[in-house]
Amino acid sequence: MMRFLNVLLATKVLSLTTLVASKQATNYVLPNLINGSIPSASDHTVGFEAYDRPYNYPHNLTSYEWWYFDAVASDGLSSIVIQPIVLGPPLGNGTQLRIQLVFPNGSSIYRKIDYKVGKPMYVSTKGDGSSGVIGGGDASWVGQPDLSEYALKLDLLDEEISGTVTLLSAASPFVACQELNPEARTDLFWYLNWINLVPDAVALVDLKIGRERLAFTGNGYHDKNWGPYLFNSLIDQWYWGHGRAGDYSVVWFYLIPKTGIADIKALGWVSRNGEVLYSSCAEGNDTTITVKPYGEGVVFPIPGPNMTSDIDGFDITFNPSSDSGKGGYGKDEGFAFRFTKKIYTQADLDQYARWIGSIEGGPIGDDKNATGSALCEQMGPFFDLAHHPLQ
Ligand SMILES: *[C@@H]1O[C@H](CO)[C@@H](O)[C@H](O)[C@H]1NC(C)=O
Ligand SMILES: *[C@@H]1O[C@H](CO)[C@@H](O)[C@H](O)[C@H]1NC(C)=O
Ligand SMILES: *[C@@H]1O[C@H](CO)[C@@H](O)[C@H](O)[C@H]1NC(C)=O
Ligand SMILES: *[C@@H]1O[C@H](CO)[C@@H](O)[C@H](O)[C@H]1NC(C)=O
Ligand SMILES: *[C@@H]1O[C@H](CO)[C@@H](O)[C@H](O)[C@H]1NC(C)=O
Ligand SMILES: *[C@@H]1O[C@H](CO)[C@@H](O)[C@H](O)[C@H]1NC(C)=O
């Protein structure tokens, strides 16, 4: 089958629809943990199977993998993050569900639930989409084969959290810096793989929390990360976020590894009405793409833990790119955005901050900016190797 597809692809006669339709529907039961010094079968390319599938199979004791979904309200005052994770011992055994809810008054709920082997996570793919159930139904999702829609459901009995999150995709999927095809590499670094299934979506959130409600529409998002090896000892900090300003959908990522700022890896991506306007990467001393926190007394890069509370926002600049080949867009046009925080939360411990708020910007040099809402994060700095971000 694989070889057959290969041949067809090589002759470039296969339309995307045909390819999606011909992808095998596949069932997985997670975790599928193996113990010992055995390499995890961690994929580093998109491959010929569903885009939204488990990419580590089986998992070993150092591999990790998560599905990430979020939505931020149009006014930048409420949000939800739902994150099913596969995580080996000792950090999990290994499936875990993380949920964060942010309310307009600034209060938030954060839950991290570990499930033991009796409650596996089920994931099934059809076309490029995945559907899944974690925690015996605490959270579930249904993804359409063409990634056009994800319908999520929460039903945490003990927490009295229930309701639905619907994401209608408003942008096409991507991997960093390349055309999305079976050969495209997903590894930004060998220990960090990334595929963006729904870079922007129209989101509808309707939840009940005890006697309270959290309901809004706004921007949604879904991506996936995985790796063969826990990355805390290799990464200093990263900034990531997404949003929509006017009709510009934006995703940014800026990673500073432990080896220092001279080895950064950055990604900028902008699309409008489904058309990609900018999709590029920068690394090392290339300052084409910059993401910088600002605020009174804020030092860049953030020098230590618990130093994110003064950050007022991030300046995000995608300069015209020299990135030809590799599917780079945006050679002529650059973009600049400013994210301004409305609500700041510590997503987990002191090494994982998250903000929601407003975003303003557009093509560099335009005399009028577009505005909207966005969600962003800082992970790290990872100062203590005994701490892991997923702990
Ligand atoms: C892995 O195997 C070793 C040796 O058999 C054992 O000591 C250890 O407890 C196992 N770890 C897990 C997480 O099962
Ligand atoms: C898990 O597999 C990866 C390769 O895919 C390897 O680098 C890592 O050392 C393995 N972990 C263990 C505990 O064997
Ligand atoms: C973890 O899972 C393994 C099988 O995958 C099982 O043998 C072991 O008992 C589990 N450990 C805990 C603490 O649940
Ligand atoms: C904020 O809103 C939440 C949800 O409605 C509510 O439970 C909480 O009590 C409010 N907190 C304050 C300080 O008003
Ligand atoms: C960061 O702040 C949290 C909560 O205030 C505290 O528990 C933690 O110890 C602090 N971490 C460091 C490294 O100071
Ligand atoms: C638009 O926003 C960008 C990013 O903050 C800023 O650099 C630029 O000056 C703004 N342009 C206008 C016309 O306000």
Side-chain angles (χ1 to χ4, degrees):
M1 184 61 174
M2 203 88 133
R3 204 160 138 215
F4 175 64
L5 281 176
N6 242 325
V7 169
L8 283 179
L9 267 182
T11 56
K12 290 188 197 292
V13 294
L14 202 55
S15 78
L16 188 63
T17 330
T18 324
L19 183 58
V20 166
S22 64
K23 285 185 179 179
Q24 186 76 37
T26 307
N27 295 326
Y28 302 85
V29 180
L30 305 170
N32 182 356
L33 282 175
I34 45 174
N35 187 359
S37 298
I38 300 169
S40 154
S42 192
D43 288 349
H44 298 291
T45 56
V46 170
F48 289 90
E49 296 151 72
Y51 291 159
D52 199 6
R53 67 179 184 275
Y55 282 82
N56 288 336
Y57 203 80
H59 284 252
N60 69 15
L61 299 187
T62 56
S63 62
Y64 67 92
E65 172 149 34
W66 67 73
W67 280 256
Y68 174 95
F69 304 89
D70 77 26
V72 53
S74 316
D75 56 9
L77 287 171
S78 312
S79 60
I80 178 163
V81 172
I82 300 173
Q83 202 180 358
I85 309 177
V86 183
L87 202 56
L91 304 182
N93 194 37
T95 64
Q96 188 184 79
L97 176 64
R98 294 182 181 196
I99 291 173
Q100 188 196 41
L101 310 177
V102 177
F103 296 91
N105 65 7
S107 80
S108 63
I109 293 176
Y110 177 66
R111 294 286 182 271
K112 185 168 69 176
I113 308 163
D114 278 290
Y115 303 105
K116 297 303 180 193
V117 279
K119 270 191 189 172
M121 174 172 158
Y122 298 93
V123 174
S124 294
T125 64
K126 178 165 164 54
D128 278 317
S130 74
S131 300
V133 172
I134 185 168
D138 281 359
S140 62
W141 73 93
V142 178
Q144 290 300 318
D146 61 358
L147 305 175
S148 60
E149 181 180 340
Y150 276 81
L152 294 97
K153 206 171 97 184
L154 290 181
D155 191 8
L156 292 92
L157 297 178
D158 296 345
E159 314 281 343
E160 292 187 73
I161 298 174
S162 65
T164 59
V165 175
T166 310
L167 306 180
L168 301 176
S169 182
S172 42
F174 71 83
V175 289
C177 332
Q178 302 147 82
E179 297 285 1
L180 186 55
N181 63 44
E183 278 84 37
R185 294 204 68 89
T186 49
D187 47 353
L188 280 180
F189 288 99
W190 67 271
Y191 51 82
L192 180 65
N193 291 268
W194 185 25
I195 187 166
N196 211 308
L197 291 321
V198 182
D200 187 22
V202 170
L204 168 69
V205 175
D206 188 4
L207 297 172
K208 263 190 221 155
I209 304 96
R211 302 189 60 81
E212 311 275 355
R213 304 198 74 162
L214 182 64
F216 59 85
T217 63
N219 309 332
Y221 177 94
H222 165 41
D223 72 2
K224 201 170 178 306
N225 291 100
W226 70 96
Y229 197 81
L230 300 170
F231 53 67
N232 64 309
S233 59
L234 303 162
I235 288 175
D236 177 7
Q237 57 200 271
W238 84 42
Y239 315 129
W240 161 86
H242 74 90
R244 196 185 321 138
D247 47 12
Y248 296 104
S249 304
V250 192
V251 177
W252 64 91
F253 184 71
Y254 189 93
L255 185 152
I256 307 172
K258 274 275 199 277
T259 51
I261 197 152
D263 293 324
I264 64 110
K265 192 98 172 185
L267 164 129
W269 179 93
V270 179
S271 106
R272 185 177 51 180
N273 303 328
E275 186 196 352
V276 179
L277 302 178
Y278 191 99
S279 172
S280 196
C281 289
E283 56 187 346
N285 295 320
D286 183 350
T287 53
T288 305
I289 295 166
T290 59
V291 180
K292 270 192 183 165
Y294 66 86
E296 203 177 322
V298 170
V299 176
F300 169 80
I302 304 301
N306 282 356
M307 297 179 91
T308 48
S309 58
D310 290 338
I311 293 175
D312 289 331
F314 290 84
D315 281 317
I316 302 130
T317 309
F318 307 156
N319 285 305
S321 165
S322 55
D323 186 6
S324 52
K326 294 198 299 182
Y329 294 82
K331 287 188 275 297
D332 307 320
E333 199 172 24
F335 289 85
F337 298 93
R338 169 165 271 208
F339 169 82
T340 307
K341 81 164 170 201
K342 288 190 176 170
I343 298 175
Y344 161 73
T345 57
Q346 290 279 10
D348 200 31
L349 298 171
D350 39 24
Q351 300 176 343
Y352 198 163
R354 188 174 287 143
W355 297 263
I356 54 174
S358 58
I359 187 165
E360 180 194 332
I364 291 172
D366 267 18
D367 54 10
K368 200 169 175 297
N369 271 334
T371 58
S373 68
L375 178 151
C376 62
E377 293 181 351
Q378 176 181 324
M379 243 203 223
F382 299 121
F383 55 99
D384 174 0
L385 299 190
H387 283 71
H388 182 266
L390 295 176
Q391 203 155 21

